[in-house]
Amino acid sequence: MLSSVKALLSSVVDYAGLFPPAKLNMGEAMANYARYQTAPYSWMLGHFVLPASRLSEFEALLPTLPLVEGKTRQWSLSVIVSGNWESEIERVRSHNHSKLSIAALEFPPLPPPEIKRILPHLPAKVDSFFEIPLTGDMEAYLTLLQGTGASAKIRTGGITAEAFPNSTQLYPFIAACAAAKVPFKATAGLHHPLPGNYRLTYEPDSPSATMHGFLNVALSAALIYWQKITQEEALTVLNQSSSDEFQFKEDGINWSACNLNLREIEEVRQRFFRSFGSCSFEEPINDLKELNLL
């Protein structure tokens, strides 16, 4: 295992098995997450993504999946907040369960004035991600989040072709977050390391669409964050469909004449590109194995 790959992808996949296209029931999704914690590539596993409205259902099933000392760790949740954010944030503040930790809150697209109302109520030591619609006034959102400790969230796909932004939509978001020093996470549509035409669901007759690659998003974010590439180069990185264009080495990753060392990769993951949500953990793993990166 190359240190550069581990630095780029540690805890990068927030497991969202409850959501489409997987749409598993609670027991199935929880069993998967527990199993992934004991898998060889558990170091890539981030939070378990859970709607706030299903927290009681989750807690009721927890006793059926006991923690195994030395194998499984405390459950780490990223809770999706609904429109009823006041009561749900209060529940997060008051939750007291030794087997789980609420590590993050994720908010749906909201108008900036509503986000401004929420910010003072965010619990300490819990990451918060506010989804920013690409059709909105991005500057207004990022100005509001700047310096608050809160982060942005971008939707990079869904179960329809229209849900996937193209590179010319994705690049301005990443560049604006970097300029504002606002961290971000991505959600949906990033099951695969490299861009390509993939099926939208797991149904045999599912239509296909062009999807982004999570390697491309992570590496373009790092190169943009460190101001190593131009806009034109960033678009090239986002659209790169062959892993041969990226040189993964023990002490860093190269693209063209640009180099990212381990310290730069680690910092960009801590301070800028935080993670991506995926309803599959196994697809990213299997694809990375095919690329000989795992």
Side-chain angles (χ1 to χ4, degrees):
M1 165 63 59
L2 293 173
S3 296
S4 62
V5 174
K6 196 158 189 177
L8 185 69
L9 300 179
S10 287
S11 304
V12 76
V13 183
D14 289 334
Y15 179 59
L18 295 172
F19 296 82
K23 210 170 184 180
L24 303 177
N25 65 43
M26 184 67 75
E28 292 170 327
M30 290 177 68
N32 280 351
Y33 188 82
R35 178 165 53 87
Y36 298 150
Q37 288 193 41
T38 66
Y41 304 108
S42 60
W43 55 269
M44 281 183 58
L45 186 63
H47 308 313
F48 183 88
V49 184
L50 175 73
S53 60
R54 301 184 69 179
L55 191 55
S56 295
E57 181 186 359
F58 173 89
E59 290 178 327
L61 286 175
L62 262 185
T64 68
L65 295 164
L67 298 176
V68 180
E69 188 173 353
K71 291 187 176 181
T72 55
R73 56 185 186 263
Q74 185 184 47
W75 286 74
S76 178
L77 304 186
S78 188
V79 174
I80 306 288
V81 179
S82 72
N84 190 21
W85 60 265
E86 290 175 288
S87 63
E88 290 174 351
I89 287 177
E90 185 53 40
R91 184 171 183 190
V92 168
R93 284 184 187 281
S94 59
H95 101 280
N96 182 20
H97 201 301
S98 60
K99 290 184 180 180
L100 67 88
S101 166
I102 297 179
L105 298 175
E106 301 184 35
F107 292 84
L110 297 167
E114 187 72 1
I115 295 175
K116 189 174 182 178
R117 282 187 60 216
I118 294 171
L119 288 172
H121 299 275
L122 294 176
K125 298 181 181 179
V126 175
D127 291 332
S128 299
F129 296 88
F130 291 88
E131 184 172 337
I132 296 180
L134 290 176
T135 55
D137 183 353
M138 198 177 304
E139 185 177 351
Y141 283 95
L142 294 178
T143 298
L144 194 58
L145 298 179
Q146 201 169 21
T148 65
S151 302
K153 173 180 168 181
I154 184 172
R155 189 160 295 276
T156 44
I159 56 173
T160 64
E162 295 74 25
F164 292 81
N166 59 38
S167 297
T168 56
Q169 294 172 301
L170 186 54
Y171 164 76
F173 170 84
I174 298 174
C177 286
K181 294 183 170 55
V182 172
F184 77 97
K185 74 170 289 184
T187 188
L190 291 179
H191 291 197
H192 304 280
L194 298 167
N197 194 262
Y198 302 105
R199 290 186 178 276
L200 290 167
T201 71
Y202 299 124
E203 300 300 322
D205 59 348
S206 169
S208 300
T210 299
M211 302 184 184
H212 290 287
F214 61 79
L215 281 180
N216 305 68
V217 172
L219 289 170
S220 63
L223 291 165
I224 292 167
Y225 179 84
W226 290 112
Q227 300 180 19
K228 293 178 183 279
I229 53 175
T230 64
Q231 176 178 344
E232 184 178 352
E233 289 170 330
L235 293 172
T236 300
V237 172
L238 284 170
N239 293 323
Q240 203 76 65
S241 60
S242 171
S243 62
D244 294 340
E245 301 301 321
F246 305 115
Q247 288 80 52
F248 292 88
K249 304 179 297 179
E250 178 64 21
D251 61 351
I253 302 171
N254 289 354
W255 177 80
S256 187
C258 303
N259 170 261
L260 292 163
N261 62 41
L262 286 180
R263 180 190 64 79
E264 290 171 329
I265 296 168
E266 289 167 354
E267 181 170 331
V268 89
R269 285 298 321 284
Q270 292 167 1
R271 296 177 178 269
F272 190 49
F273 177 57
R274 301 297 307 281
S275 64
F276 67 91
S278 172
C279 72
S280 173
F281 184 65
E282 294 176 3
E283 274 185 302
I285 299 294
N286 292 336
D287 283 5
L288 288 168
K289 286 180 179 179
E290 287 185 14
L291 296 174
N292 295 316
L293 291 176
L294 293 181

